[in-house]
């Protein structure tokens, strides 16, 4: 039963990773941009929520809409004002632009909030549990995280498959030049894709800030987890991202159960094994 509980806890942790990685999957799927600033965007969102909570003393859940809007606007501006030009210059220049922005964000957060670890206090919901048996418990907050992750993925799937703008996203992802010939403004579309991605990142960043502490230097580790979830599931597959997050979460929890402190290492080893034997991921396909 202990192992059953580990699997359940791994699934719950995987839901958090999937929520965090969904925006990364969207950006790569639409514009093939390797965004090295993704982890720092999530930490930036957590600090914005922290600033709001410190100013008006509200539960961090209530900041999600405001932080989501701020991050979406920032995403559109930074895509139109920086990343589009870098992408025109070449894929390497685009990667370097995201890396440079990540360093800038880290240093700005360090100047504004110091290097001390912070956290978001969501109240009693953080410690509330559903007790299934003596050895199996489900935390309410991790359960809410999984539910939110599934809702976000469902909404994103519906948007991409059922709306006109979503079809434009898919057309641009399939063939950028053909989409331009059909009158699609890819520069504007890329800005919208980044806006949607950062709005999702805002949700993930706040949930991570509630679950654990964060600091200005925490972004790169979050980036690694996000990329591992996306690559395990398969590049371009939204539901593959959820599966990838769950696989990574289970590996980490079971690794910690086997030997305390081994969780992250076991997660990396599972990622490398999948990359070696199935480099395209478990469900590699274009988002529909």
């Amino acid at each position: 039963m202990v192992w059953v509980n580990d699997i359940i806890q791994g699934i719950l942790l995987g839901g958090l990773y999937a929520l965090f990685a969904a925006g990364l999957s969207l950006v790569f799927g639409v514009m093939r941009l390797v965004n090295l600033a993704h982890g720092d965007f999530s930490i930036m969102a957590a600090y914005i929520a922290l600033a709001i909570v410190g100013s008006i003393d509200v539960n961090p859940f209530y900041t999600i809409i405001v932080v989501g809007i701020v991050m979406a606007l920032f995403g559109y501006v930074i895509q139109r004002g920086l990343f589009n030009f870098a992408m025109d210059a070449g894929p390497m220049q685009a990667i370097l632009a995201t890396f440079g922005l990540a360093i800038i964000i880290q240093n700005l957060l360090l100047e504004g909030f110091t290097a001390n670890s912070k956290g978001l206090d969501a109240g009693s919901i953080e410690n509330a549990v559903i007790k299934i048996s003596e050895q199996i418990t489900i935390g309410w907050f991790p359960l809410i995280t999984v539910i939110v992750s599934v809702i976000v993925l469902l909404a994103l799937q519906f948007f991409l498959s059922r709306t006109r703008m979503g079809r434009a996203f898919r057309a641009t992802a399939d063939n950028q030049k053909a989409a331009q010939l059909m009158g699609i403004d890819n520069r504007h579309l890329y800005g919208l894709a980044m806006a949607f991605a950062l709005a999702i990142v805002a949700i993930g960043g706040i949930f991570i800030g509630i679950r654990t502490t964060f600091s200005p230097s925490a972004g790169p580790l979050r980036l690694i987890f996000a990329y591992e979830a996306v690559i395990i599931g398969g590049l371009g597959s939204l539901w593959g991202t959820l599966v990838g997050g769950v696989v990574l979460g289970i590996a980490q929890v079971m690794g910690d159960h086997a030997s305390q402190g081994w969780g992250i290492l076991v997660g990396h080893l599972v990622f490398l094994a999948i990359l070696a034997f199935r480099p395209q991921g478990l469900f590699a396909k274009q988002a529909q």
Side-chain angles (χ1 to χ4, degrees), residues 1-17 129-147 211 242 245-254 257:
M1 294 300 290
V2 174
W3 290 103
V4 172
N5 187 61
D6 286 346
I7 292 174
I8 292 174
Q9 301 309 316
I11 292 172
L12 296 176
L13 178 59
L16 178 64
Y17 289 157
V129 299
I130 303 170
K131 189 172 183 179
I132 307 299
S133 70
E134 290 299 324
Q135 295 178 313
I136 300 178
T137 59
I138 298 175
W140 270 109
F141 177 69
L143 181 60
I144 291 171
T145 304
V146 172
I147 293 171
R211 184 182 177 103
L242 178 60
V246 168
V247 169
L248 185 62
I250 292 174
Q252 290 184 357
V253 171
M254 287 192 164
H257 177 82

XYZ file of all heavy atoms in Angstrom, residues 1-17 129-147 211 242 245-254 257:
382
model
N 0.820 -1.215 0.000
C 0.000 0.000 0.000
C 0.854 1.266 0.000
O 0.437 2.303 -0.475
C -0.921 -0.007 1.227
C -1.969 -1.103 1.205
S -3.073 -0.990 -0.216
C -3.986 0.478 0.209
N 2.069 1.157 0.568
C 2.967 2.312 0.568
C 3.319 2.700 -0.866
O 3.354 3.886 -1.214
C 4.237 2.009 1.382
C 5.225 3.159 1.261
C 3.889 1.756 2.842
N 3.562 1.698 -1.722
C 3.899 1.977 -3.111
C 2.709 2.561 -3.858
O 2.869 3.401 -4.746
C 4.399 0.717 -3.800
C 5.738 0.278 -3.304
C 6.021 -0.743 -2.443
C 7.006 0.887 -3.618
N 7.376 -0.812 -2.202
C 8.002 0.169 -2.905
C 7.392 1.961 -4.406
C 9.359 0.495 -2.978
C 8.733 2.293 -4.480
C 9.699 1.573 -3.779
N 1.512 2.118 -3.493
C 0.307 2.687 -4.099
C 0.211 4.174 -3.761
O -0.100 5.011 -4.613
C -0.958 1.941 -3.622
C -2.222 2.661 -4.112
C -0.946 0.506 -4.117
N 0.492 4.489 -2.504
C 0.476 5.894 -2.097
C 1.542 6.695 -2.838
O 1.305 7.841 -3.237
C 0.709 6.004 -0.588
C 0.543 7.413 -0.075
O -0.517 8.013 -0.181
N 1.616 7.964 0.484
N 2.718 6.088 -3.062
C 3.776 6.770 -3.823
C 3.320 7.082 -5.236
O 3.594 8.165 -5.774
C 5.040 5.904 -3.864
C 5.779 5.890 -2.533
O 5.468 6.749 -1.686
O 6.647 5.026 -2.350
N 2.636 6.129 -5.857
C 2.145 6.346 -7.224
C 1.119 7.476 -7.246
O 1.139 8.353 -8.124
C 1.542 5.051 -7.791
C 2.644 4.010 -7.996
C 0.817 5.323 -9.108
C 2.126 2.646 -8.407
N 0.227 7.481 -6.256
C -0.782 8.541 -6.183
C -0.121 9.899 -6.000
O -0.459 10.877 -6.688
C -1.772 8.261 -5.036
C -2.616 7.032 -5.357
C -2.677 9.478 -4.798
C -3.512 6.596 -4.213
N 0.854 9.971 -5.088
C 1.551 11.239 -4.854
C 2.332 11.668 -6.100
O 2.446 12.860 -6.406
C 2.500 11.127 -3.656
C 1.823 10.751 -2.342
C 0.627 11.618 -2.011
O 0.663 12.837 -2.151
N -0.457 10.979 -1.570
N 2.881 10.689 -6.827
C 3.593 10.998 -8.068
C 2.666 11.559 -9.127
O 3.030 12.491 -9.857
N 1.462 11.011 -9.215
C 0.472 11.529 -10.171
C 0.098 12.961 -9.811
O -0.017 13.833 -10.685
C -0.773 10.626 -10.197
C -0.423 9.258 -10.802
C -1.908 11.282 -10.982
C -1.538 8.240 -10.683
N -0.091 13.211 -8.518
C -0.443 14.563 -8.078
C 0.688 15.546 -8.376
O 0.441 16.672 -8.825
C -0.749 14.553 -6.577
C -1.966 13.725 -6.140
C -2.095 13.717 -4.634
C -3.239 14.251 -6.787
N 1.924 15.132 -8.141
C 3.071 15.986 -8.469
C 3.177 16.179 -9.984
O 3.493 17.278 -10.463
C 4.354 15.357 -7.927
C 5.669 16.095 -8.217
C 5.638 17.509 -7.647
C 6.852 15.313 -7.651
N 2.893 15.126 -10.735
C 2.934 15.222 -12.197
C 1.926 16.214 -12.746
O 2.181 16.863 -13.773
N 0.791 16.351 -12.074
C -0.184 17.352 -12.500
C 0.374 18.752 -12.408
O 0.115 19.605 -13.279
N 1.180 19.015 -11.377
C 1.829 20.323 -11.243
C 2.839 20.535 -12.364
O 2.895 21.617 -12.970
C 2.524 20.420 -9.883
C 3.302 21.709 -9.614
C 2.370 22.915 -9.589
C 4.072 21.606 -8.288
N 3.633 19.516 -12.671
C 4.611 19.634 -13.745
C 3.923 19.853 -15.096
O 4.399 20.626 -15.930
C 5.486 18.379 -13.809
C 6.451 18.240 -12.659
C 6.973 17.004 -12.291
C 6.853 19.352 -11.918
C 7.862 16.874 -11.236
C 7.740 19.234 -10.860
C 8.239 17.992 -10.526
O 9.122 17.868 -9.480
N -6.188 17.178 3.904
C -6.017 15.907 3.193
C -7.312 15.116 3.178
O -8.202 15.310 4.007
C -4.906 15.044 3.829
C -3.564 15.757 3.769
C -5.247 14.679 5.272
N -7.403 14.226 2.192
C -8.464 13.226 2.132
C -7.827 11.909 2.536
O -6.928 11.408 1.852
C -9.063 13.124 0.717
C -9.584 14.474 0.254
C -10.176 12.079 0.674
C -9.971 14.504 -1.209
N -8.265 11.328 3.624
C -7.662 10.096 4.135
C -8.404 8.897 3.566
O -9.567 8.655 3.904
C -7.695 10.085 5.661
C -6.883 8.938 6.264
C -6.784 9.078 7.778
C -5.914 7.977 8.363
N -5.793 8.107 9.835
N -7.731 8.144 2.692
C -8.328 6.947 2.099
C -8.145 5.758 3.034
O -9.056 4.955 3.226
C -7.694 6.645 0.734
C -7.757 7.891 -0.178
C -8.377 5.458 0.080
C -9.145 8.379 -0.477
N -6.966 5.622 3.588
C -6.655 4.569 4.545
C -5.516 5.062 5.425
O -5.092 6.219 5.323
C -6.268 3.275 3.824
O -5.004 3.418 3.194
N -4.990 4.192 6.274
C -3.896 4.583 7.153
C -2.641 4.952 6.374
O -1.812 5.726 6.837
C -3.583 3.444 8.132
C -4.659 3.209 9.187
C -4.863 4.423 10.074
O -3.866 5.107 10.383
O -6.019 4.703 10.451
N -2.479 4.356 5.193
C -1.265 4.574 4.408
C -1.482 5.391 3.146
O -0.516 5.724 2.457
C -0.640 3.222 4.029
C -0.135 2.427 5.227
C 0.427 1.096 4.826
O -0.178 0.350 4.051
N 1.605 0.758 5.339
N -2.711 5.697 2.821
C -3.006 6.439 1.591
C -3.780 7.710 1.917
O -4.880 7.650 2.480
C -3.819 5.580 0.598
C -3.041 4.326 0.210
C -4.155 6.392 -0.650
C -3.800 3.401 -0.719
N -3.194 8.841 1.594
C -3.854 10.132 1.767
C -3.667 10.963 0.500
O -2.667 10.819 -0.211
C -3.278 10.906 2.963
O -1.875 11.102 2.759
C -3.516 10.166 4.266
N -4.624 11.811 0.234
C -4.563 12.698 -0.925
C -4.725 14.130 -0.428
O -5.730 14.462 0.218
C -5.669 12.369 -1.947
C -5.497 10.945 -2.486
C -5.656 13.376 -3.104
C -6.616 10.509 -3.409
N -3.734 14.956 -0.692
C -3.820 16.352 -0.284
C -4.804 17.113 -1.163
O -4.856 16.918 -2.376
N -5.579 17.988 -0.530
C -6.552 18.767 -1.292
C -5.871 19.696 -2.305
O -6.320 19.813 -3.446
C -7.440 19.584 -0.351
C -8.671 18.857 0.077
C -8.950 18.347 1.314
C -9.807 18.544 -0.741
N -10.169 17.739 1.329
C -10.728 17.849 0.081
C -10.135 18.776 -2.068
C -11.963 17.388 -0.394
C -11.358 18.327 -2.554
C -12.260 17.640 -1.724
N -4.788 20.329 -1.880
C -4.128 21.253 -2.792
C -3.515 20.543 -4.000
O -3.711 20.986 -5.142
C -3.063 22.071 -2.063
C -2.293 22.989 -2.978
C -2.908 24.092 -3.549
C -0.972 22.736 -3.294
C -2.214 24.938 -4.408
C -0.268 23.568 -4.145
C -0.885 24.672 -4.706
N -2.781 19.426 -3.820
C -2.298 18.696 -4.999
C -3.433 18.212 -5.896
O -3.299 18.210 -7.126
C -1.528 17.515 -4.391
C -1.095 17.997 -3.055
C -2.218 18.868 -2.576
N -4.559 17.803 -5.285
C -5.704 17.356 -6.076
C -6.276 18.509 -6.898
O -6.596 18.346 -8.079
C -6.776 16.776 -5.162
C -8.048 16.246 -5.850
C -7.704 15.127 -6.825
C -9.061 15.765 -4.808
N -6.391 19.685 -6.278
C -6.862 20.871 -6.999
C -5.908 21.194 -8.147
O -6.336 21.564 -9.245
C -6.987 22.063 -6.039
C -8.136 21.839 -5.060
C -7.201 23.374 -6.812
C -8.209 22.858 -3.940
N -4.609 21.031 -7.905
C -3.616 21.303 -8.940
C -3.820 20.411 -10.156
O -3.775 20.877 -11.300
C -2.189 21.090 -8.385
O -2.001 21.913 -7.231
C -1.150 21.456 -9.427
N -4.046 19.112 -9.926
C -4.282 18.180 -11.031
C -5.553 18.562 -11.785
O -5.585 18.554 -13.024
C -4.386 16.739 -10.505
C -4.832 15.790 -11.623
C -3.050 16.272 -9.952
N -6.608 18.905 -11.045
C -7.875 19.281 -11.688
C -7.685 20.525 -12.549
O -8.153 20.584 -13.696
C -8.967 19.504 -10.622
C -9.314 18.184 -9.933
C -10.219 20.113 -11.260
C -10.227 18.343 -8.729
N 3.065 25.556 -3.253
C 3.514 24.211 -2.870
C 4.889 24.223 -2.202
O 5.150 23.458 -1.275
C 3.540 23.305 -4.102
C 3.900 21.854 -3.768
C 3.968 20.996 -5.010
N 4.373 19.641 -4.676
C 3.566 18.602 -4.610
N 2.273 18.753 -4.847
N 4.020 17.394 -4.315
N 0.925 16.010 -20.153
C 0.350 15.539 -18.892
C 0.941 14.182 -18.511
O 1.344 13.965 -17.364
C -1.169 15.439 -19.007
C -1.904 14.900 -17.777
C -1.636 15.791 -16.561
C -3.404 14.799 -18.046
N 4.520 14.640 -17.410
C 4.594 15.164 -16.055
C 4.317 14.093 -15.012
O 4.985 14.023 -13.971
N 3.336 13.226 -15.297
C 2.993 12.147 -14.362
C 4.142 11.145 -14.254
O 4.499 10.704 -13.152
C 1.693 11.447 -14.808
C 1.486 10.148 -14.038
C 0.493 12.373 -14.606
N 4.730 10.775 -15.392
C 5.864 9.843 -15.374
C 7.006 10.426 -14.551
O 7.617 9.741 -13.712
C 6.333 9.529 -16.809
C 7.679 8.784 -16.798
C 5.284 8.706 -17.547
N 7.305 11.692 -14.772
C 8.378 12.348 -14.034
C 8.053 12.435 -12.544
O 8.917 12.180 -11.690
C 8.608 13.751 -14.609
C 9.782 14.549 -14.030
C 11.096 13.833 -14.292
C 9.808 15.954 -14.646
N 6.806 12.770 -12.219
C 6.406 12.878 -10.823
C 6.500 11.545 -10.097
O 7.008 11.471 -8.965
N 6.019 10.471 -10.731
C 6.085 9.143 -10.109
C 7.535 8.723 -9.905
O 7.907 8.182 -8.854
C 5.333 8.109 -10.966
C 3.826 8.398 -10.935
C 5.610 6.692 -10.473
C 3.010 7.511 -11.861
N 8.371 8.982 -10.909
C 9.791 8.619 -10.790
C 10.439 9.342 -9.620
O 11.207 8.751 -8.843
C 10.517 8.944 -12.089
N 10.141 10.617 -9.453
C 10.751 11.385 -8.361
C 10.263 10.921 -7.000
O 11.063 10.771 -6.056
C 10.462 12.879 -8.554
C 11.196 13.500 -9.734
C 10.966 14.994 -9.839
O 10.208 15.571 -9.058
N 11.604 15.629 -10.794
N 8.966 10.679 -6.877
C 8.431 10.248 -5.584
C 8.970 8.870 -5.212
O 9.377 8.628 -4.063
C 6.889 10.234 -5.621
C 6.334 9.581 -4.358
C 6.346 11.655 -5.734
N 8.995 7.951 -6.182
C 9.519 6.619 -5.885
C 11.020 6.657 -5.610
O 11.526 5.879 -4.798
C 9.209 5.666 -7.044
C 7.755 5.262 -7.120
S 7.459 3.906 -8.254
C 5.824 3.383 -7.734
N 11.352 7.664 -2.124
C 10.956 6.575 -1.229
C 12.072 5.544 -1.095
O 12.331 5.022 0.006
C 9.698 5.885 -1.763
C 9.266 4.703 -0.948
N 8.521 4.829 0.196
C 9.484 3.369 -1.100
C 8.295 3.634 0.716
N 8.861 2.723 -0.056
